[in-house]
Amino acid sequence: LVVQIPFTLARDLSMPAVNQEEYIKYMMCCTPISSVFIVLSLLDYWEIILGSKFLIVFLLFIIILTTICFYYLLDPLKFTENKLLIFILCIYKFIVSIVWIYASSQILIDILQFYGFLFKIPESFLGLTVLAFGNSLSDASLDVSLAQKGFGEMALAGTLSG
């Protein structure tokens, strides 16, 4: 639980929930600021941004997107009617999701390299093992859920067909 808290907080600050039960509109307005800082921290790109010409563009982007979000916070009906803003936010969230996938895969690679070094296992073997596990995990979970719902024949056919 203690290890999970920083990752959950970073995820919630960079990609807030959009379902009605968990939606917090103030967190949605803070997302353009927090997600950029979290993404830069995950990828360790602070030196590139702070030491280049991108700093002004970076700050302008954050200010404009945050201002737009807070403007629409005052009148939520304007937000739902503005299809362009919703499209821009969806693209932005998609990019942040890709960065999260990239960062988590880099962490997984680092962990695998550590275990390979610790137990003297070749990296190619560890990579293929994780690749095979990730490839078959979705099929296994589908087959288990089918068997639990009473469709044993379908689960067996799915297991045999691969």
Side-chain angles (χ1 to χ4, degrees), residues 41-62:
S41 299
L42 283 174
L43 299 178
D44 199 24
Y45 283 169
W46 282 107
E47 298 156 356
I48 296 172
I49 295 295
L50 295 177
S52 68
K53 301 172 191 169
F54 292 119
L55 183 61
I56 296 172
V57 175
F58 171 71
L59 291 176
L60 274 172
F61 174 73
I62 291 175

PDB file of all heavy atoms in Angstrom, residues 41-62:
ATOM      1  N   SER A  41       9.195  14.436 -15.169  1.00  0.00           N
ATOM      2  CA  SER A  41       9.915  13.727 -14.111  1.00  0.00           C
ATOM      3  C   SER A  41      10.070  12.248 -14.448  1.00  0.00           C
ATOM      4  O   SER A  41      11.126  11.665 -14.199  1.00  0.00           O
ATOM      5  CB  SER A  41       9.187  13.869 -12.783  1.00  0.00           C
ATOM      6  OG  SER A  41       9.118  15.221 -12.407  1.00  0.00           O
ATOM      7  N   LEU A  42       9.031  11.639 -15.015  1.00  0.00           N
ATOM      8  CA  LEU A  42       9.113  10.224 -15.370  1.00  0.00           C
ATOM      9  C   LEU A  42      10.156   9.973 -16.452  1.00  0.00           C
ATOM     10  O   LEU A  42      10.894   8.997 -16.403  1.00  0.00           O
ATOM     11  CB  LEU A  42       7.750   9.721 -15.853  1.00  0.00           C
ATOM     12  CG  LEU A  42       6.700   9.434 -14.801  1.00  0.00           C
ATOM     13  CD1 LEU A  42       5.388   9.090 -15.472  1.00  0.00           C
ATOM     14  CD2 LEU A  42       7.128   8.306 -13.903  1.00  0.00           C
ATOM     15  N   LEU A  43      10.206  10.852 -17.431  1.00  0.00           N
ATOM     16  CA  LEU A  43      11.132  10.669 -18.546  1.00  0.00           C
ATOM     17  C   LEU A  43      12.497  11.295 -18.304  1.00  0.00           C
ATOM     18  O   LEU A  43      13.395  11.111 -19.109  1.00  0.00           O
ATOM     19  CB  LEU A  43      10.525  11.242 -19.825  1.00  0.00           C
ATOM     20  CG  LEU A  43       9.228  10.603 -20.288  1.00  0.00           C
ATOM     21  CD1 LEU A  43       8.718  11.285 -21.528  1.00  0.00           C
ATOM     22  CD2 LEU A  43       9.419   9.125 -20.529  1.00  0.00           C
ATOM     23  N   ASP A  44      12.618  12.055 -17.217  1.00  0.00           N
ATOM     24  CA  ASP A  44      13.875  12.727 -16.872  1.00  0.00           C
ATOM     25  C   ASP A  44      14.324  13.667 -17.997  1.00  0.00           C
ATOM     26  O   ASP A  44      15.473  13.632 -18.446  1.00  0.00           O
ATOM     27  CB  ASP A  44      14.962  11.701 -16.538  1.00  0.00           C
ATOM     28  CG  ASP A  44      16.090  12.321 -15.747  1.00  0.00           C
ATOM     29  OD1 ASP A  44      15.848  13.350 -15.090  1.00  0.00           O
ATOM     30  OD2 ASP A  44      17.214  11.783 -15.781  1.00  0.00           O
ATOM     31  N   TYR A  45      13.408  14.503 -18.468  1.00  0.00           N
ATOM     32  CA  TYR A  45      13.685  15.458 -19.541  1.00  0.00           C
ATOM     33  C   TYR A  45      13.820  16.887 -19.031  1.00  0.00           C
ATOM     34  O   TYR A  45      13.727  17.828 -19.800  1.00  0.00           O
ATOM     35  CB  TYR A  45      12.570  15.423 -20.593  1.00  0.00           C
ATOM     36  CG  TYR A  45      12.627  14.251 -21.532  1.00  0.00           C
ATOM     37  CD1 TYR A  45      11.578  13.968 -22.369  1.00  0.00           C
ATOM     38  CD2 TYR A  45      13.737  13.412 -21.587  1.00  0.00           C
ATOM     39  CE1 TYR A  45      11.605  12.894 -23.232  1.00  0.00           C
ATOM     40  CE2 TYR A  45      13.777  12.341 -22.442  1.00  0.00           C
ATOM     41  CZ  TYR A  45      12.711  12.089 -23.264  1.00  0.00           C
ATOM     42  OH  TYR A  45      12.746  11.034 -24.121  1.00  0.00           O
ATOM     43  N   TRP A  46      14.026  17.071 -17.741  1.00  0.00           N
ATOM     44  CA  TRP A  46      14.098  18.419 -17.194  1.00  0.00           C
ATOM     45  C   TRP A  46      15.240  19.224 -17.796  1.00  0.00           C
ATOM     46  O   TRP A  46      15.104  20.417 -18.049  1.00  0.00           O
ATOM     47  CB  TRP A  46      14.245  18.374 -15.674  1.00  0.00           C
ATOM     48  CG  TRP A  46      12.961  18.095 -14.995  1.00  0.00           C
ATOM     49  CD1 TRP A  46      12.590  16.942 -14.389  1.00  0.00           C
ATOM     50  CD2 TRP A  46      11.830  18.970 -14.880  1.00  0.00           C
ATOM     51  NE1 TRP A  46      11.314  17.043 -13.894  1.00  0.00           N
ATOM     52  CE2 TRP A  46      10.822  18.287 -14.184  1.00  0.00           C
ATOM     53  CE3 TRP A  46      11.564  20.267 -15.308  1.00  0.00           C
ATOM     54  CZ2 TRP A  46       9.596  18.845 -13.898  1.00  0.00           C
ATOM     55  CZ3 TRP A  46      10.335  20.827 -15.021  1.00  0.00           C
ATOM     56  CH2 TRP A  46       9.371  20.110 -14.327  1.00  0.00           C
ATOM     57  N   GLU A  47      16.375  18.580 -18.038  1.00  0.00           N
ATOM     58  CA  GLU A  47      17.525  19.296 -18.580  1.00  0.00           C
ATOM     59  C   GLU A  47      17.248  19.795 -19.990  1.00  0.00           C
ATOM     60  O   GLU A  47      17.688  20.878 -20.377  1.00  0.00           O
ATOM     61  CB  GLU A  47      18.748  18.381 -18.581  1.00  0.00           C
ATOM     62  CG  GLU A  47      19.135  17.936 -17.186  1.00  0.00           C
ATOM     63  CD  GLU A  47      19.925  16.642 -17.208  1.00  0.00           C
ATOM     64  OE1 GLU A  47      20.111  16.061 -18.289  1.00  0.00           O
ATOM     65  OE2 GLU A  47      20.342  16.219 -16.132  1.00  0.00           O
ATOM     66  N   ILE A  48      16.506  19.009 -20.767  1.00  0.00           N
ATOM     67  CA  ILE A  48      16.201  19.404 -22.140  1.00  0.00           C
ATOM     68  C   ILE A  48      15.282  20.619 -22.153  1.00  0.00           C
ATOM     69  O   ILE A  48      15.485  21.566 -22.914  1.00  0.00           O
ATOM     70  CB  ILE A  48      15.573  18.224 -22.907  1.00  0.00           C
ATOM     71  CG1 ILE A  48      16.593  17.092 -23.021  1.00  0.00           C
ATOM     72  CG2 ILE A  48      15.080  18.656 -24.271  1.00  0.00           C
ATOM     73  CD1 ILE A  48      16.022  15.815 -23.580  1.00  0.00           C
ATOM     74  N   ILE A  49      14.260  20.614 -21.301  1.00  0.00           N
ATOM     75  CA  ILE A  49      13.292  21.707 -21.290  1.00  0.00           C
ATOM     76  C   ILE A  49      13.899  22.976 -20.690  1.00  0.00           C
ATOM     77  O   ILE A  49      13.768  24.062 -21.244  1.00  0.00           O
ATOM     78  CB  ILE A  49      12.018  21.297 -20.518  1.00  0.00           C
ATOM     79  CG1 ILE A  49      11.299  20.165 -21.242  1.00  0.00           C
ATOM     80  CG2 ILE A  49      11.091  22.477 -20.306  1.00  0.00           C
ATOM     81  CD1 ILE A  49      10.760  20.546 -22.599  1.00  0.00           C
ATOM     82  N   LEU A  50      14.540  22.839 -19.545  1.00  0.00           N
ATOM     83  CA  LEU A  50      15.045  24.022 -18.849  1.00  0.00           C
ATOM     84  C   LEU A  50      16.266  24.636 -19.517  1.00  0.00           C
ATOM     85  O   LEU A  50      16.514  25.830 -19.379  1.00  0.00           O
ATOM     86  CB  LEU A  50      15.373  23.675 -17.393  1.00  0.00           C
ATOM     87  CG  LEU A  50      14.168  23.273 -16.543  1.00  0.00           C
ATOM     88  CD1 LEU A  50      14.618  22.894 -15.147  1.00  0.00           C
ATOM     89  CD2 LEU A  50      13.141  24.384 -16.495  1.00  0.00           C
ATOM     90  N   GLY A  51      17.005  23.847 -20.261  1.00  0.00           N
ATOM     91  CA  GLY A  51      18.216  24.373 -20.887  1.00  0.00           C
ATOM     92  C   GLY A  51      18.066  24.659 -22.356  1.00  0.00           C
ATOM     93  O   GLY A  51      19.043  24.627 -23.088  1.00  0.00           O
ATOM     94  N   SER A  52      16.879  24.963 -22.825  1.00  0.00           N
ATOM     95  CA  SER A  52      16.698  25.187 -24.262  1.00  0.00           C
ATOM     96  C   SER A  52      15.669  26.277 -24.525  1.00  0.00           C
ATOM     97  O   SER A  52      15.164  26.916 -23.617  1.00  0.00           O
ATOM     98  CB  SER A  52      16.256  23.884 -24.929  1.00  0.00           C
ATOM     99  OG  SER A  52      14.956  23.559 -24.509  1.00  0.00           O
ATOM    100  N   LYS A  53      15.372  26.423 -25.808  1.00  0.00           N
ATOM    101  CA  LYS A  53      14.385  27.420 -26.237  1.00  0.00           C
ATOM    102  C   LYS A  53      12.951  26.945 -26.005  1.00  0.00           C
ATOM    103  O   LYS A  53      12.016  27.694 -26.179  1.00  0.00           O
ATOM    104  CB  LYS A  53      14.576  27.711 -27.724  1.00  0.00           C
ATOM    105  CG  LYS A  53      15.940  28.230 -28.061  1.00  0.00           C
ATOM    106  CD  LYS A  53      16.127  28.300 -29.550  1.00  0.00           C
ATOM    107  CE  LYS A  53      17.592  28.558 -29.852  1.00  0.00           C
ATOM    108  NZ  LYS A  53      17.892  28.397 -31.256  1.00  0.00           N
ATOM    109  N   PHE A  54      12.781  25.688 -25.636  1.00  0.00           N
ATOM    110  CA  PHE A  54      11.449  25.132 -25.421  1.00  0.00           C
ATOM    111  C   PHE A  54      10.787  25.652 -24.155  1.00  0.00           C
ATOM    112  O   PHE A  54       9.594  25.461 -23.968  1.00  0.00           O
ATOM    113  CB  PHE A  54      11.501  23.602 -25.348  1.00  0.00           C
ATOM    114  CG  PHE A  54      11.843  22.946 -26.636  1.00  0.00           C
ATOM    115  CD1 PHE A  54      12.977  22.167 -26.733  1.00  0.00           C
ATOM    116  CD2 PHE A  54      11.036  23.087 -27.741  1.00  0.00           C
ATOM    117  CE1 PHE A  54      13.303  21.550 -27.916  1.00  0.00           C
ATOM    118  CE2 PHE A  54      11.343  22.482 -28.925  1.00  0.00           C
ATOM    119  CZ  PHE A  54      12.485  21.707 -29.020  1.00  0.00           C
ATOM    120  N   LEU A  55      11.535  26.294 -23.285  1.00  0.00           N
ATOM    121  CA  LEU A  55      10.995  26.713 -21.998  1.00  0.00           C
ATOM    122  C   LEU A  55       9.833  27.692 -22.169  1.00  0.00           C
ATOM    123  O   LEU A  55       8.800  27.557 -21.516  1.00  0.00           O
ATOM    124  CB  LEU A  55      12.092  27.334 -21.138  1.00  0.00           C
ATOM    125  CG  LEU A  55      11.675  27.761 -19.733  1.00  0.00           C
ATOM    126  CD1 LEU A  55      11.194  26.559 -18.946  1.00  0.00           C
ATOM    127  CD2 LEU A  55      12.823  28.433 -19.016  1.00  0.00           C
ATOM    128  N   ILE A  56       9.967  28.659 -23.054  1.00  0.00           N
ATOM    129  CA  ILE A  56       8.902  29.646 -23.266  1.00  0.00           C
ATOM    130  C   ILE A  56       7.667  28.981 -23.866  1.00  0.00           C
ATOM    131  O   ILE A  56       6.540  29.215 -23.432  1.00  0.00           O
ATOM    132  CB  ILE A  56       9.400  30.798 -24.156  1.00  0.00           C
ATOM    133  CG1 ILE A  56      10.516  31.544 -23.416  1.00  0.00           C
ATOM    134  CG2 ILE A  56       8.279  31.743 -24.541  1.00  0.00           C
ATOM    135  CD1 ILE A  56      11.224  32.570 -24.240  1.00  0.00           C
ATOM    136  N   VAL A  57       7.869  28.121 -24.852  1.00  0.00           N
ATOM    137  CA  VAL A  57       6.745  27.405 -25.463  1.00  0.00           C
ATOM    138  C   VAL A  57       6.088  26.486 -24.422  1.00  0.00           C
ATOM    139  O   VAL A  57       4.859  26.392 -24.349  1.00  0.00           O
ATOM    140  CB  VAL A  57       7.234  26.591 -26.680  1.00  0.00           C
ATOM    141  CG1 VAL A  57       6.122  25.741 -27.254  1.00  0.00           C
ATOM    142  CG2 VAL A  57       7.819  27.506 -27.725  1.00  0.00           C
ATOM    143  N   PHE A  58       6.897  25.857 -23.628  1.00  0.00           N
ATOM    144  CA  PHE A  58       6.421  24.970 -22.576  1.00  0.00           C
ATOM    145  C   PHE A  58       5.544  25.726 -21.581  1.00  0.00           C
ATOM    146  O   PHE A  58       4.429  25.316 -21.265  1.00  0.00           O
ATOM    147  CB  PHE A  58       7.647  24.346 -21.896  1.00  0.00           C
ATOM    148  CG  PHE A  58       7.366  23.563 -20.664  1.00  0.00           C
ATOM    149  CD1 PHE A  58       6.736  22.341 -20.741  1.00  0.00           C
ATOM    150  CD2 PHE A  58       7.745  24.038 -19.429  1.00  0.00           C
ATOM    151  CE1 PHE A  58       6.494  21.605 -19.604  1.00  0.00           C
ATOM    152  CE2 PHE A  58       7.503  23.306 -18.287  1.00  0.00           C
ATOM    153  CZ  PHE A  58       6.870  22.090 -18.386  1.00  0.00           C
ATOM    154  N   LEU A  59       6.023  26.857 -21.091  1.00  0.00           N
ATOM    155  CA  LEU A  59       5.253  27.658 -20.138  1.00  0.00           C
ATOM    156  C   LEU A  59       3.986  28.225 -20.762  1.00  0.00           C
ATOM    157  O   LEU A  59       2.936  28.265 -20.128  1.00  0.00           O
ATOM    158  CB  LEU A  59       6.125  28.772 -19.565  1.00  0.00           C
ATOM    159  CG  LEU A  59       7.248  28.307 -18.642  1.00  0.00           C
ATOM    160  CD1 LEU A  59       8.111  29.488 -18.223  1.00  0.00           C
ATOM    161  CD2 LEU A  59       6.703  27.590 -17.434  1.00  0.00           C
ATOM    162  N   LEU A  60       4.060  28.673 -22.014  1.00  0.00           N
ATOM    163  CA  LEU A  60       2.874  29.182 -22.706  1.00  0.00           C
ATOM    164  C   LEU A  60       1.817  28.091 -22.857  1.00  0.00           C
ATOM    165  O   LEU A  60       0.624  28.342 -22.652  1.00  0.00           O
ATOM    166  CB  LEU A  60       3.248  29.732 -24.079  1.00  0.00           C
ATOM    167  CG  LEU A  60       3.697  31.177 -24.102  1.00  0.00           C
ATOM    168  CD1 LEU A  60       4.217  31.544 -25.473  1.00  0.00           C
ATOM    169  CD2 LEU A  60       2.548  32.091 -23.726  1.00  0.00           C
ATOM    170  N   PHE A  61       2.256  26.901 -23.213  1.00  0.00           N
ATOM    171  CA  PHE A  61       1.327  25.780 -23.364  1.00  0.00           C
ATOM    172  C   PHE A  61       0.607  25.489 -22.058  1.00  0.00           C
ATOM    173  O   PHE A  61      -0.616  25.326 -22.022  1.00  0.00           O
ATOM    174  CB  PHE A  61       2.088  24.542 -23.849  1.00  0.00           C
ATOM    175  CG  PHE A  61       1.250  23.309 -23.903  1.00  0.00           C
ATOM    176  CD1 PHE A  61       0.291  23.152 -24.895  1.00  0.00           C
ATOM    177  CD2 PHE A  61       1.406  22.306 -22.967  1.00  0.00           C
ATOM    178  CE1 PHE A  61      -0.485  22.017 -24.946  1.00  0.00           C
ATOM    179  CE2 PHE A  61       0.637  21.175 -23.005  1.00  0.00           C
ATOM    180  CZ  PHE A  61      -0.316  21.026 -24.003  1.00  0.00           C
ATOM    181  N   ILE A  62       1.356  25.448 -20.970  1.00  0.00           N
ATOM    182  CA  ILE A  62       0.751  25.168 -19.666  1.00  0.00           C
ATOM    183  C   ILE A  62      -0.224  26.275 -19.270  1.00  0.00           C
ATOM    184  O   ILE A  62      -1.339  26.014 -18.825  1.00  0.00           O
ATOM    185  CB  ILE A  62       1.841  25.004 -18.583  1.00  0.00           C
ATOM    186  CG1 ILE A  62       2.613  23.730 -18.822  1.00  0.00           C
ATOM    187  CG2 ILE A  62       1.229  24.978 -17.199  1.00  0.00           C
ATOM    188  CD1 ILE A  62       3.778  23.556 -17.892  1.00  0.00           C
TER     189      ILE A  62
END
